[in-house]
Amino acid sequence: MTAYTFSHLRLTQTLFWRTPVSVGVALLFPVLFGALMPLMLPGGLRGGAPVDVVVMTGVIVMGMATLGFMTLVESFVMRRQLLILKRLRGTELPDLAIFGGEILTVLSVGLLQLALIVGLARVVHGVALPANPVLLAVTVLLGLAVFAAMAIAVSGRIPAQGSTVVVSLPFLLLAIGLSGFAYPVSAFPGWLRTVSSVLPFGRVAEGISTAYLGRDYVGHVGSGLPPEAGILEGFAVMWPVWLVLVAWLALSLLAAKRWFRWEPRRG
């Protein structure tokens, strides 16, 4: 299985870097957005965190949603409609190896995207580097895996390539809205915080904030600063985030395995 997965990884990497639209939407757009967005917002604090860090958290989550979900949904639907996926399935590649190769491509490109956003924020806007970069990378990788698995699960049900925006746009809006980028999480009504706590978007944002600032933002409510969380403590306080993300990853992979349709769809 591992050999098949990495074999498909090499193929998907080649296809991604040879598709300018995918590179532009999934990689360059979030990086440029991160470079320009802080110029439009005032300084100060939001939810106890510097506004520029809140902006970077939102940009990272938005970039993850764009790369992990939107780009992959478009790619999978296109390849299904062109019978590429059906031909791949006719080879020795198992279904999970095809899914795994696609997800690993998203993870590798996602690390590059993260490094560019963080580096640009530091150079252009003077945003401090993450207090816990390992925790940041782990959170982003797990979140990307969840988004990619969700993309695979729903792409088999989308009838045609032109319909992908109907699914992708609401997903992106949820990612932006529940990450606290557009509206402070501390100001969410109680029912919305409850909903956000069981969805991956808000949980990923909590993990990114915790890693960036070295403070426990997991489930944090209010305008004050949460308690400090050291390197190891940062991982320890993240268990609610890990639990939600792992659950969504398992459910999405199960749905992709069971309900994905390999035949082209019309209408």
Side-chain angles (χ1 to χ4, degrees), residues 12-25 78-79:
T12 54
Q13 281 277 359
T14 301
L15 291 175
F16 176 85
W17 292 109
R18 290 183 178 178
T19 309
V21 173
S22 296
V23 175
V25 172
M78 178 190 70
R79 293 174 192 175

Side-chain angles (χ1 to χ4, degrees), residues 8-255:
H8 190 57
L9 168 64
R10 291 193 293 271
L11 172 62
T12 54
Q13 281 277 359
T14 301
L15 291 175
F16 176 85
W17 292 109
R18 290 183 178 178
T19 309
V21 173
S22 296
V23 175
V25 172
L27 192 60
L28 298 182
F29 173 70
V31 173
L32 290 176
F33 194 82
L36 297 175
M37 195 64 197
L39 300 175
M40 308 175 191
L41 297 175
L45 299 176
R46 182 195 291 179
V51 170
D52 53 8
V53 174
V54 175
V55 170
M56 286 303 108
T57 299
V59 169
I60 291 172
V61 176
M62 184 200 69
M64 291 169 60
T66 304
L67 170 62
F69 190 87
M70 294 182 67
T71 304
L72 194 54
V73 164
E74 184 74 20
S75 172
F76 247 71
V77 172
M78 178 190 70
R79 293 174 192 175
R80 187 200 65 208
Q81 295 299 102
L82 295 177
L83 298 175
I84 295 174
L85 292 180
K86 186 176 181 180
R87 294 189 186 100
L88 284 172
R89 202 186 189 202
T91 67
E92 297 180 359
L93 285 174
D95 293 357
L96 289 180
I98 297 175
F99 297 156
E102 299 282 353
I103 292 174
L104 286 176
T105 293
V106 167
L107 297 187
S108 60
V109 177
L111 279 180
L112 175 60
Q113 181 195 81
L114 176 64
L116 289 173
I117 291 175
V118 171
L120 201 60
R122 175 61 179 170
V123 172
V124 176
H125 303 291
V127 179
L129 293 174
N132 195 339
V134 177
L135 178 59
L136 177 61
V138 171
T139 303
V140 168
L141 288 176
L142 184 54
L144 279 170
V146 172
F147 291 171
M150 293 171 74
I152 294 171
V154 303
S155 61
R157 296 291 179 172
I158 298 176
Q161 191 174 355
S163 306
T164 56
V165 67
V166 177
V167 176
S168 298
L169 187 56
F171 188 94
L172 182 62
L173 293 177
L174 278 173
I176 293 174
L178 295 181
S179 68
F181 175 48
Y183 195 71
V185 176
S186 59
F188 285 180
W191 68 268
L192 185 55
R193 286 199 299 268
T194 301
V195 171
S196 179
S197 68
V198 296
L199 294 176
F201 315 104
R203 288 303 193 180
V204 166
E206 289 175 355
I208 293 172
S209 297
T210 299
Y212 233 115
L213 293 169
R215 293 182 177 274
D216 182 8
Y217 276 90
V218 180
H220 173 65
V221 178
S223 58
L225 279 175
E228 292 187 3
I231 300 297
L232 296 179
E233 189 181 1
F235 282 89
V237 302
M238 286 283 287
W239 70 265
V241 175
W242 306 140
L243 185 62
V244 169
L245 293 182
V246 169
W248 275 100
L249 179 60
L251 289 173
S252 298
L253 287 175
L254 181 62

